[in-house]
Amino acid sequence: MSLINDRLKQLNIVLPTAPAPAANYVPYVKSNKLIFVSGQIPMLNGELVTGKIGKNIEIEDAKTAARLCGLAIVSQLNEATDLDLDKIKKIIKLGGFVNCIDEFTQQPEIINGASDLMVEVFGDKGKHSRFAVGTNSLPRNVVVEIEAIAEIN
């Protein structure tokens, strides 16, 4: 068994099925040694996690939603590596969009939900560069959307 799969078991993490794209795009693109993962949205028990921070969802719930996006990213990476996450050399970058009111300024704390997961799963290889921005709207009114770039061996 792989080191990353062992770590997932130790963390009691069961990866969700990698979500299919909702339109005319692919869930990831491999180019040379990079994997570009399309924006992932939070799903819990087959339902979208929706809402706007500062209006109808709390910070901790939004951070949990970001973690769900992170799990979807790991699932896409699992597919991209033919179910061998040990091929991941480095998580290069996460980009996070947070659905929030204009006055909200804690977007980084929300995206930490996904960033923390990457380090839990991949250890030092999970440390990455990142952006976290607020927006007045996201597709389907989801709380957060996160994309990723990873390097493979």
Side-chain angles (χ1 to χ4, degrees):
M1 183 163 269
S2 77
L3 296 173
I4 300 299
N5 284 334
D6 286 344
R7 185 170 293 138
L8 289 169
K9 280 188 177 186
Q10 291 169 357
L11 295 168
N12 292 318
I13 294 175
V14 176
L15 292 178
T17 302
N24 191 18
Y25 63 91
V26 293
Y28 59 84
V29 171
K30 291 165 68 171
S31 179
N32 297 316
K33 300 243 179 218
L34 298 178
I35 302 170
F36 297 82
V37 179
S38 296
Q40 301 296 299
I41 57 178
M43 298 282 291
L44 182 61
N45 300 322
E47 299 289 325
L48 293 173
V49 179
T50 61
K52 184 180 288 280
I53 301 167
K55 182 177 179 184
N56 58 5
I57 191 162
E58 299 297 322
I59 291 174
E60 282 307 311
D61 294 331
K63 188 174 178 181
T64 299
R67 183 178 176 88
L68 292 170
C69 292
L71 288 170
I73 288 167
V74 176
S75 292
Q76 296 294 0
L77 292 173
N78 198 35
E79 291 291 320
T81 59
D82 299 318
L83 309 181
D84 185 1
L85 288 169
D86 287 330
K87 290 180 181 176
I88 299 295
K89 182 176 179 180
K90 182 84 176 147
I91 303 298
I92 303 290
K93 184 175 188 177
L94 293 185
F97 300 90
V98 177
N99 188 358
C100 58
I101 62 172
D102 290 346
E103 297 77 22
F104 186 75
T105 61
Q106 294 174 275
Q107 292 85 0
E109 288 85 341
I110 304 304
I111 303 304
N112 282 347
S115 291
D116 293 346
L117 176 73
M118 294 302 143
V119 175
E120 287 175 37
V121 172
F122 295 104
D124 283 343
K125 297 187 299 185
K127 293 181 180 177
H128 52 274
S129 66
R130 182 181 92 173
F131 70 80
V133 297
T135 184
N136 66 340
S137 179
L138 283 173
R140 312 286 186 262
N141 196 38
V142 294
V143 177
V144 64
E145 181 172 353
I146 303 174
E147 65 177 9
I149 302 170
E151 183 180 11
I152 55 176
N153 292 319

